[in-house]
Amino acid sequence: MTASQPARRSLTPMVLVFLCTLAPIVAAFVVYMNPQWWPADASNYGRLVEPQRPVPAPEALKLTTLDGKPFDLQSLKGKWLLVAADGAACPESCARKLYITRNTHASQGKNVDRLARVWFITDDGPVPDKVLEAYQGTIMLRADPDQLARFLLARDAAAGQPGLAQPIWVIDPLGNLMMQYPADADGVKVRKDISKLVYNSRIG
């Protein structure tokens, strides 16, 4: 028996332990990417987007910050994104969505850094100071409503902004649009839904 043979055999338990550790992560990822395999009692308040849609490249979804700088949404990969869209004037319905996303984000405890919140502003109007102050920490981006509708609604914005202004969406850390909440979403249910989603996720 050569000296190298015992060394090779001694690595076998280490490799087995590594594979056993890796297996649950791989299994969780595969199940997450295939919602049709989720158990029936794993119900979500939000509606799953099927099929999931990847975040568009910058040329397909041109975004700018409030000070006019280009922004690539793909730069936020690795985080769960809570997304809303509305005009800059931000009426009461808009403020309610921003309030829900802000409170949902803030309530995640030790997981708070795994999320970010994004507000797509669908016109060139000024954002009221009270909105800027109330929702500090929200990433505010101006977007073309037609380009945004092709991503969020999977269609052209034939009716313009109203369709975009209704739901709240979720983008996963892999950069896929994967869930939508209704216009009259219950903030408590959204918070619980996101908490469950983030807690059980091994990504992001």
Side-chain angles (χ1 to χ4, degrees):
M1 180 180 296
T2 65
S4 63
Q5 287 176 324
R8 281 198 298 269
R9 282 200 300 271
S10 66
L11 291 175
T12 302
M14 186 182 302
V15 172
L16 290 175
V17 169
F18 174 75
L19 292 176
C20 288
T21 304
L22 189 63
I25 299 174
V26 173
F29 176 79
V30 171
V31 171
Y32 169 76
M33 294 303 294
N34 292 274
Q36 68 273 19
W37 296 348
W38 294 7
D41 60 353
S43 58
N44 299 290
Y45 174 56
R47 178 180 65 81
L48 292 174
V49 174
E50 295 180 327
Q52 296 179 5
R53 297 189 288 279
V55 167
E59 57 270 19
L61 182 58
K62 295 179 180 178
L63 303 172
T64 57
T65 59
L66 293 183
D67 56 1
K69 296 178 181 177
F71 189 92
D72 182 358
L73 194 61
Q74 294 180 343
S75 67
L76 296 177
K77 277 188 177 181
K79 289 184 178 290
W80 293 92
L81 304 183
L82 307 177
V83 174
D86 218 304
C90 197
E92 183 178 349
S93 58
C94 165
R96 183 176 182 276
K97 291 182 297 183
L98 297 183
Y99 176 83
I100 290 173
T101 59
R102 184 192 66 187
N103 285 10
T104 298
H105 184 191
S107 68
Q108 297 308 309
K110 65 180 181 180
N111 289 319
V112 69
D113 291 335
R114 297 173 63 190
L115 296 92
R117 54 191 192 273
V118 177
W119 176 27
F120 292 120
I121 302 169
T122 52
D123 58 34
D124 296 325
V127 179
D129 288 341
K130 63 179 181 180
V131 175
L132 293 173
E133 292 170 6
Y135 302 107
Q136 292 182 36
T138 297
I139 300 170
M140 301 182 183
L141 304 170
R142 295 194 189 273
D144 176 270
D146 290 305
Q147 291 183 340
L148 194 58
R150 284 192 281 274
F151 171 46
L152 294 180
L153 303 176
R155 62 171 173 78
D156 290 335
Q161 297 171 13
L164 286 170
Q166 293 173 3
I168 295 172
W169 288 271
V170 179
I171 298 174
D172 70 21
L174 299 177
N176 295 310
L177 183 70
M178 54 82 63
M179 190 172 287
Q180 176 180 319
Y181 293 98
D184 57 349
D186 182 312
V188 173
K189 291 182 179 180
V190 172
R191 187 186 72 227
K192 290 180 178 179
D193 218 26
I194 296 298
S195 295
K196 179 176 65 175
L197 190 65
V198 174
Y199 177 80
N200 290 319
S201 171
R202 294 179 181 269
I203 60 173

